[in-house]
Amino acid sequence: MAHRPRPENIQLGPLAVRLPAEHPDTAARERLAAGEAADDVARDLPASSLAWAVLAEAALPEAPVTAYAYARTGYHRGLDALRKAGWRGAGEIPADHPTNQGFLRALLALAEAAAAIGESDEAARCQEFLAGSGTTPESVATLRD
């Protein structure tokens, strides 16, 4: 199924974007819930933001540089998917939509890892991105297992 660009409501601005159910995060969510290791899931589904976010979250306490790399990978894979779904750099990315959650978790993990390694500008940018997406770090944190 081809993705068409989303229309914008001139009065209200960009419409919310929801990644399609066919996104790799759907399969990643099932595999992770079944107990598969996140590194195996990321290897098999490298376009899954969720798999990279889970790896980043796990690495953050002991290896923030590694967490940063994992989170950045998930963030960029998510940006690719959002753009393919019609997102044009602005607008809501609803956190209650399951296939959006991997990207949002990767973005939060990137903010946290950036802060942990002293990249305060990057951490602030990620926090602003979350707010611009219509969510908060606290809301996204509740999505973690």
Side-chain angles (χ1 to χ4, degrees), residues 120-142:
S120 57
D121 290 344
E122 175 78 348
R125 186 187 68 76
C126 292
Q127 298 282 348
E128 290 170 13
F129 194 158
L130 283 168
S133 299
T135 191
T136 65
E138 296 78 20
S139 294
V140 175
T142 66

Side-chain angles (χ1 to χ4, degrees), residues 38-59:
D39 59 339
D40 290 336
V41 176
R43 184 179 309 110
D44 293 344
L45 299 168
S48 168
S49 292
L50 179 61
W52 294 109
V54 169
L55 287 168
E57 292 163 359

Side-chain angles (χ1 to χ4, degrees), residues 26-114:
T26 300
R29 181 181 304 280
E30 292 170 4
R31 290 175 61 178
L32 291 165
E36 282 193 57
D39 59 339
D40 290 336
V41 176
R43 184 179 309 110
D44 293 344
L45 299 168
S48 168
S49 292
L50 179 61
W52 294 109
V54 169
L55 287 168
E57 292 163 359
L60 189 58
E62 300 297 323
V65 172
T66 301
Y68 185 89
Y70 286 145
R72 183 155 287 288
T73 301
Y75 165 79
H76 281 289
R77 297 315 288 261
L79 284 179
D80 292 344
L82 288 167
R83 289 179 182 128
K84 187 175 179 182
W87 185 74
R88 299 290 175 252
E92 186 177 347
I93 305 168
D96 64 348
H97 185 68
T99 49
N100 288 354
Q101 293 173 1
F103 169 74
L104 294 170
R105 285 175 64 178
L107 180 56
L108 177 58
L110 183 57
E112 294 168 337

